[in-house]
Amino acid sequence: MTKTQSFQKRLTSLIRQVYPDQDTKLLVDAIQDAFWPDGKRRRKRGRAPSNDLWTEQDALLITYGNSIIDGAHKPLDLLHDFLLRRMKGVLNGVHILPFFPFTSDDGFAVSDFRSVNPQLGDWPDINRISEDFHLMSDLVLNHVSSQGTWFNGYRQGQMPYDRYFFEASPDDDLSNVVRPRTTPLLQKVETSNGPRHVWCTFSHDQIDLDFRNPEVLLEFLRIIRLHVDNGVQIIRLDAVAFLWKEPGTSSIHLPQTHAIVKLMRLLCDYSVETIILLTETNVPKAENLSYFGQHDEAHAIYNFPLPPLILHAVMSGSAHYLRHWQSGMPPAQMGCAYLNFTASHDGIGMRPAEGILPTEEQARMIETIKNIGGLVSMRALPDGGEAPYEINTTYFEATAQTFAGKDDHHFDRFICTQTIVMSLEGIPAFYIHSMLATPNDHGQVEHRGMNRAINRHRWDYPTLNALLDDPTSDQARILTALSDRLRIRAKQPAFHPNATQFTMPLGDRVFGVWRQSLDRRQSIFALHNVSDQTVVLSQLSMNLIEDETWFDLLTGHDLDMDQEAVTLAPYQCRWITNRGR
């Protein structure tokens, strides 16, 4: 069997799983024409799964295109300036959240997938950023704006949009549908063909698409090609778990959804350009891990339990649940990686903590967040009840106090949370408001009537630069501390995203992991005191090799091997290694 036949056979098999009633040969040709148009060619051989798609130098900034404004310049130009001025040599990638025209949800109700929001800039501005940083973009493929061209065409009965959207009946069995929101699932709309009920997983301005129609898939493959041709290297599949719907089921993680992700991965593996697929599935562990497939689905998945578990650890002073969860996490498969983070444009998701954090511990977190001034968003349950969906706050503010109350350790506690993200197997990502120690924006919540606005502040660029130039400001102190650690991290082979990891049993107050480089030459013992107490650890508990020189990358000091103990001050982190400085 030739490599070409192998590609054709795999693509054919996937199409038959998703579209058994379609003409497979015609659809095979249409998919290739959509992804490789205008004479573009694919690779003769697909990329085999490997650990070569990323290195220890990779780290991402997550930001909106207008997180930095000044009222005079294009926000994308200001972002580019900020990246060059403050992030060069610190982070080498940037996830610009949806930068397309939209009508709600801060970009996730897209009205035009082919244009850049003119309030941000244009494609040349995106291109310039992609020349200096690895660029991630969002493929918001589950739904579109109710006010966009596609849905307006649907309501008017125009082809091809008349078959683009998922319709259902209020009489259908929808009792098991998993929802991330409390709004009604179906929305009644008037169309040229009479009233219809359309499916709305998220909001009534976000109308779900119907991937049972292969034309929808083909259009999104063309959109991926547009992104790639404009310098995008990482495609984030937003809300992909909800892609395929069937009344009478949960309508989440259905087999057709996984098959479509596999189809996209196959096309990416045969693309001349390097394309990494990242799935956004804010769900419990086993469901999230399923998107690795057999190293034939997503290249990377979000490590969604990290934000609530790390926060609980520093709030409670105990890494018990974080350590227990991490001990049971499998290493990423060959050719796959975790994306580690504590904060994003959304809140701190509580669903991934289900089955890990007891209900009473979640309640303690929520109560503490409310005391700090944070908010809580709920989701609907099949029985008609509600449950916490996410905590809304900036991560910097979330670490302002513990279950015991306020203290003088806020700075060190926050830095500890971000250092854990840097230490773990996977690629670290940092929300811009974590890098900038942004406080909760209650004014935006009141102005916009949306809990998530608390974590979506827009910085005035001259004001921000003044703060960053003042070494005593929270913004300067946090950015400097995190930047220093990221620069150190980027030089350590033991922090390669796929380097060996072992979770160390060091008691509840210290979260420790041992990392070993792929060539087994470097070890790092990454220790994080999550408590407000000084902790003394026996060197024997770390199994340090006697005939090597060990030193702390974060302090620059050699470890005295004649001493029997390693001391960690409250919230102190130590990276003890045998190689590199």
Side-chain angles (χ1 to χ4, degrees):
M1 181 184 295
T2 67
K3 293 294 182 181
T4 299
Q5 289 172 330
S6 176
F7 171 79
Q8 297 283 353
K9 184 176 181 180
R10 291 168 64 190
L11 182 56
T12 297
S13 175
L14 289 168
I15 289 171
R16 286 174 177 164
Q17 291 178 49
V18 184
Y19 303 111
D21 299 327
Q22 297 288 327
D23 185 320
T24 303
K25 186 181 184 305
L26 286 178
L27 198 46
V28 165
D29 292 341
I31 285 173
Q32 293 186 88
D33 289 343
F35 201 74
W36 290 290
D38 305 325
K40 291 184 181 292
R41 295 182 177 271
R42 61 174 171 85
R43 291 166 56 101
K44 292 182 178 179
R45 297 182 179 180
R47 290 183 180 84
S50 74
N51 296 328
D52 297 333
L53 289 175
W54 36 68
T55 73
E56 58 272 16
Q57 298 177 22
D58 288 315
L60 288 165
L61 182 76
I62 305 167
T63 181
Y64 279 102
N66 61 354
S67 290
I68 300 172
I69 56 176
D70 68 358
H73 300 88
K74 291 183 290 187
L76 286 174
D77 279 347
L78 297 179
L79 175 61
H80 194 195
D81 183 78
F82 172 80
L83 291 168
L84 293 174
R85 186 185 302 196
R86 307 287 183 179
M87 295 286 99
K88 199 71 173 176
V90 175
L91 299 156
N92 67 353
V94 57
H95 171 200
I96 306 178
L97 290 152
F99 46 77
F100 316 102
F102 70 98
T103 54
S104 66
D105 198 19
D106 283 344
F108 286 92
V110 178
S111 56
D112 182 356
F113 286 96
R114 296 185 173 278
S115 301
V116 174
N117 183 350
Q119 295 181 359
L120 302 178
D122 207 340
W123 283 115
D125 306 305
I126 295 292
N127 303 153
R128 283 191 289 274
I129 293 174
S130 73
E131 291 170 0
D132 294 310
F133 294 86
H134 299 318
L135 180 60
M136 183 197 298
S137 70
D138 287 279
L139 192 69
V140 187
L141 74 174
N142 180 70
H143 49 260
V144 300
S145 168
S146 67
Q147 302 169 58
T149 301
W150 291 9
F151 194 63
N152 284 333
Y154 162 80
R155 295 184 68 173
Q156 295 168 24
Q158 297 175 358
M159 296 179 60
Y161 308 119
D162 57 336
R163 296 176 53 244
Y164 263 35
F165 295 91
F166 198 96
E167 298 175 353
S169 167
D171 297 327
D172 289 335
D173 178 9
L174 307 176
S175 59
N176 292 318
V177 174
V178 172
R179 298 293 314 288
R181 301 289 187 273
T182 57
T183 52
L185 175 63
L186 300 184
Q187 177 185 183
K188 184 178 180 180
V189 296
E190 295 296 331
T191 76
S192 60
N193 296 314
R196 294 288 187 272
H197 288 87
V198 290
W199 193 289
C200 303
T201 297
F202 290 88
S203 80
H204 284 187
D205 187 39
Q206 294 165 297
I207 315 299
D208 283 38
L209 292 156
D210 190 352
F211 275 82
R212 295 175 302 181
N213 176 6
E215 291 299 326
V216 175
L217 173 63
L218 292 172
E219 183 61 18
F220 275 103
L221 295 181
R222 298 182 193 105
I223 292 166
I224 292 177
R225 171 51 55 190
L226 175 67
H227 288 211
V228 171
D229 288 347
N230 278 282
V232 172
Q233 291 181 301
I234 307 170
I235 303 290
R236 176 183 181 269
L237 303 181
D238 177 68
V240 67
F242 302 98
L243 197 66
W244 199 273
K245 302 105 168 86
E246 288 183 10
T249 74
S250 64
S251 294
I252 187 172
H253 314 309
L254 296 186
Q256 294 90 336
T257 293
H258 284 282
I260 287 174
V261 177
K262 289 179 181 181
L263 186 152
M264 290 180 173
R265 169 68 180 263
L266 179 64
L267 298 177
C268 291
D269 284 346
Y270 275 85
S271 176
V272 172
E273 304 87 353
T274 299
I275 308 173
I276 294 173
L277 286 182
L278 170 68
T279 50
E280 187 262 335
T281 50
N282 191 355
V283 292
K285 171 184 169 181
E287 300 168 45
N288 192 31
L289 288 172
S290 71
Y291 284 87
F292 278 148
Q294 299 299 316
H295 52 70
D296 60 353
E297 291 192 43
H299 295 91
I301 64 173
Y302 281 88
N303 221 341
F304 274 111
L306 277 178
L309 291 180
I310 292 176
L311 182 58
H312 178 271
V314 297
M315 279 185 167
S316 65
S318 171
H320 173 79
Y321 297 105
L322 174 63
R323 185 183 69 251
H324 184 268
W325 164 78
Q326 185 63 68
S327 297
M329 283 291 288
Q333 304 170 21
M334 179 67 73
C336 299
Y338 294 108
L339 188 79
N340 299 323
F341 71 114
T342 59
S344 71
H345 61 292
D346 291 337
I348 300 168
M350 297 305 292
R351 280 211 71 207
E354 293 174 6
I356 306 172
L357 277 180
T359 302
E360 58 270 21
E361 293 299 317
Q362 296 187 44
R364 293 176 75 192
M365 288 179 64
I366 290 171
E367 185 62 29
T368 303
I369 288 296
K370 288 180 177 178
N371 290 338
I372 295 170
L375 305 169
V376 180
S377 295
M378 309 298 286
R379 67 182 180 93
L381 298 176
D383 63 4
E386 294 183 350
Y389 180 68
E390 65 183 18
I391 295 171
N392 301 110
T393 174
T394 70
Y395 217 81
F396 179 69
E397 288 281 19
T399 58
Q401 70 179 63
T402 68
F403 292 160
K406 294 185 177 181
D407 55 28
D408 296 326
H409 298 299
H410 186 190
F411 176 87
D412 292 327
R413 186 160 47 242
F414 177 74
I415 294 298
C416 177
T417 66
Q418 305 308 295
T419 306
I420 291 174
V421 169
M422 298 180 202
S423 303
L424 292 173
E425 175 196 343
I427 302 167
F430 304 88
Y431 190 35
I432 190 169
H433 294 306
S434 292
M435 297 294 289
L436 298 177
T438 306
N440 285 336
D441 193 334
H442 293 282
Q444 281 297 309
V445 174
E446 183 176 353
H447 175 68
R448 303 176 62 191
M450 180 175 67
N451 283 0
R452 285 179 169 177
I454 199 170
N455 190 31
R456 299 178 180 179
H457 180 71
R458 294 174 184 169
W459 279 101
D460 173 69
Y461 200 28
T463 302
L464 176 61
N465 277 323
L467 288 168
L468 292 176
D469 291 337
D470 175 3
T472 67
S473 71
D474 286 340
Q475 286 65 42
R477 294 176 66 217
I478 292 296
L479 183 60
T480 298
L482 295 180
S483 297
D484 289 346
R485 293 193 178 186
L486 282 165
R487 289 190 183 97
I488 293 170
R489 182 192 181 279
K491 299 176 182 178
Q492 314 309 319
F495 282 144
H496 184 284
N498 299 112
T500 298
Q501 177 171 289
F502 174 76
T503 307
M504 303 169 67
L506 299 174
D508 286 348
R509 291 183 295 177
V510 177
F511 177 67
V513 292
W514 169 63
R515 304 294 309 280
Q516 186 181 59
S517 58
L518 296 175
D519 63 9
R520 304 184 69 177
R521 295 178 61 188
Q522 183 187 29
S523 286
I524 295 177
F525 293 90
L527 311 175
H528 317 86
N529 183 358
V530 300
S531 77
D532 61 0
Q533 303 295 310
T534 297
V535 178
V536 179
L537 297 175
S538 166
Q539 288 191 18
L540 294 176
S541 66
M542 290 182 288
N543 195 30
L544 300 180
I545 300 171
E546 286 188 353
D547 297 328
E548 303 228 16
T549 299
W550 295 88
F551 58 94
D552 187 343
L553 287 163
L554 298 181
T555 65
H557 296 152
D558 288 344
L559 204 65
D560 187 346
M561 298 302 291
D562 293 330
Q563 292 187 2
E564 295 183 355
V566 173
T567 301
L568 290 93
Y571 303 106
Q572 183 181 5
C573 302
R574 303 191 70 171
W575 287 344
I576 297 173
T577 188
N578 61 335
R579 180 173 177 263
R581 288 194 183 264

